[in-house]
């Protein structure tokens, strides 16, 4: 988990993600990314130069009309000394049964964000931390370019003025491979997704494309990530206008 904490610390320094006194809601789906984020942020409290509080919030979408089991998440939160809040929703029913969305991911994400925002505010939090990692950044950049014809990505930090809450993504420098390795080494038990669309999305197709290109041309993904940072769009510019990424590790 030391490497994960290192990536989080770097993101905090680059993008000014956490300040002393913050109360941060960590969105914990039960997947590897959110578990690593929760464990990393909890561990970093011991030596960070800023003090902050954490609250873990899990949204149960109610896929297939059933509640998922999040006991492993609750146990991890108890071990990490982080309050845990489980919110049951009917998002699955709305997306798949009522709306019958042919491309369900967009609506599902929108509804989950809204529910998470409300739960975080109710918990007295001023920030929400999401588990998007470096590979997610690259995939989103490529999807926006190829599917929407625009240059852009989600931001490392976004202030939502209507909700008066800030979204932060502390894992944006962490490669997915490192997250997988850290979860295995630290015994973080992943909650299996029961989403009907799991592994059958545009993101999965994009991930496979990028992995294939990386095998053919080592450094392909790093160059995309560096191009995004050099562009400076959506808050991705280098701190203090540093334009070199020589210290970036190719993964």
């Amino acid at each position: 988990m030391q490497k994960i904490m290192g990536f989080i610390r770097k993101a905090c320094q680059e993008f000014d993600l956490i300040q002393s006194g913050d109360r941060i809601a960590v969105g914990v789906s039960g997947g590897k990314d959110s578990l690593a984020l929760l464990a990393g942020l909890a561990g970093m409290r011991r030596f960070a130069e800023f003090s902050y509080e954490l609250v873990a919030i899990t949204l149960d979408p109610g896929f297939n009309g059933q509640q998922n089991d999040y006991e492993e998440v609750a146990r991890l939160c108890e071990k990490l000394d982080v309050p845990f809040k489980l919110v049951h929703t009917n998002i699955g029913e709305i997306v798949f049964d009522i709306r019958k969305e042919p491309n369900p991911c967009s609506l599902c994400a929108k509804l989950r964000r809204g529910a998470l925002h409300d739960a975080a505010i109710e918990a007295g939090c001023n920030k929400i931390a999401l588990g998007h990692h470096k590979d997610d950044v690259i995939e989103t950049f490529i999807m926006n370019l190829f599917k929407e014809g625009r240059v852009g990505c989600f931001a490392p930090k976004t202030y939502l003025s209507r909700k008066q809450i800030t979204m932060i993504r502390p894992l944006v420098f962490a490669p997915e491979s490192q997250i997988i390795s850290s979860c295995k080494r630290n015994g973080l038990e992943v909650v299996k997704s029961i989403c009907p669309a799991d592994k059958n999305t545009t993101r999965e197709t994009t991930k496979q494309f990028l992995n294939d290109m990386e095998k053919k041309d080592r450094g392909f993904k790093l160059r995309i990530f560096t191009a995004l940072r050099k562009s400076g769009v959506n808050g991705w510019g280098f701190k203090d206008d540093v334009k070199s990424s020589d210290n970036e590790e190719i993964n």
Side-chain angles (χ1 to χ4, degrees), residues 34-127:
S34 61
L35 294 178
L37 173 63
L38 176 63
L41 284 172
M44 205 173 76
R45 290 178 302 184
R46 298 194 304 269
F47 55 83
E49 59 271 20
F50 36 75
S51 61
Y52 56 91
E53 299 178 57
L54 298 174
V55 178
I57 299 179
T58 295
L59 300 178
D60 181 5
F63 290 130
N64 304 314
Q66 64 186 66
Q67 295 181 359
N68 208 354
D69 183 3
Y70 295 98
E71 281 301 315
E72 288 294 342
V73 177
R75 280 193 283 270
L76 176 63
C77 289
E78 184 177 4
K79 178 181 177 182
L80 297 174
D81 192 26
V82 175
F84 174 59
K85 181 176 182 179
L86 176 60
V87 180
H88 295 288
T89 75
N90 61 344
I91 292 174
E93 179 185 6
I94 294 172
V95 173
F96 291 100
D97 300 328
I98 298 175
R99 294 283 294 269
K100 300 184 187 301
E101 288 286 319
N103 300 299
C105 295
S106 178
L107 177 60
C108 184
K110 181 178 180 179
L111 294 175
R112 285 188 288 112
R113 282 196 300 270
L116 180 58
H117 297 166
D118 293 341
I121 292 170
E122 185 178 315
C125 298
N126 67 310
K127 288 183 178 174

Side-chain angles (χ1 to χ4, degrees), residues 160-173:
L160 307 176
S161 57
R162 285 195 304 168
K163 297 286 187 176
Q164 295 185 327
I165 200 164
T166 300
M167 307 282 288
I168 61 174
R169 294 175 167 91
L171 286 181
V172 290
F173 288 125

